[in-house]
């Protein structure tokens, strides 16, 4: 039983080390799932969920629970290759115009 407690504490310390200001991260759950950005700051809430504030390359900012954040690398360099759109969420109008451009190229 003591070994399990120690390993959980070590994992919690490792997670806290990775979620640092300036690291690039992806959102894995919640309303902003799939978005990629840079960690701006974290809010510690004892007894509750810690909140992480993230900013993407377009300047959009949002907040999510720390459990929804997956760190991709340190600084602005990701340890893995990013998707084609780099995790940037488009507005409904931008998405519609992009689809119309693709449709006009096919015709």
């Amino acid at each position: 039983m003591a070994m399990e407690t120690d390993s959980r504490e070590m994992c919690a310390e490792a997670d806290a080390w990775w979620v640092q200001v300036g690291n690039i991260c992806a959102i894995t759950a919640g309303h902003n799932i799939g978005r990629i950005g840079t960690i701006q700051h974290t809010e510690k809430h004892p007894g509750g969920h810690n909140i992480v504030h993230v900013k993407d390359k377009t300047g959009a900012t949002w907040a999510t629970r720390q459990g929804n954040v997956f760190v991709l690398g340190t600084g602005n360099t990701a340890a893995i290759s990013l998707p084609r759109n780099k995790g940037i969420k488009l507005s409904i109008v931008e998405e519609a115009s992009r689809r119309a451009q693709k449709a006009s190229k096919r015709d």
Side-chain angles (χ1 to χ4, degrees), residues 25 38-43 45 51-55 61-64 69:
C25 67
T38 305
I39 298 172
Q40 296 299 305
H41 69 278
T42 59
E43 295 176 9
H45 296 280
I51 304 298
V52 178
H53 294 265
V54 184
K55 183 176 186 178
T61 59
W62 66 93
T64 189
V69 175

Side-chain angles (χ1 to χ4, degrees), residues 10-37:
M10 288 176 15
C11 289
E13 290 173 7
D15 289 345
W17 182 81
W18 279 100
V19 180
Q20 291 182 343
V21 173
N23 287 349
I24 189 168
C25 67
I27 308 302
T28 59
H31 179 71
N32 295 305
I33 190 168
R35 295 180 80 175
I36 296 174

Side-chain angles (χ1 to χ4, degrees), residues 24 26 36 72 77-84 86-87:
I24 189 168
I36 296 174
L72 299 175
T77 56
I80 60 168
S81 59
L82 297 177
R84 178 176 33 186
K86 306 285 189 219

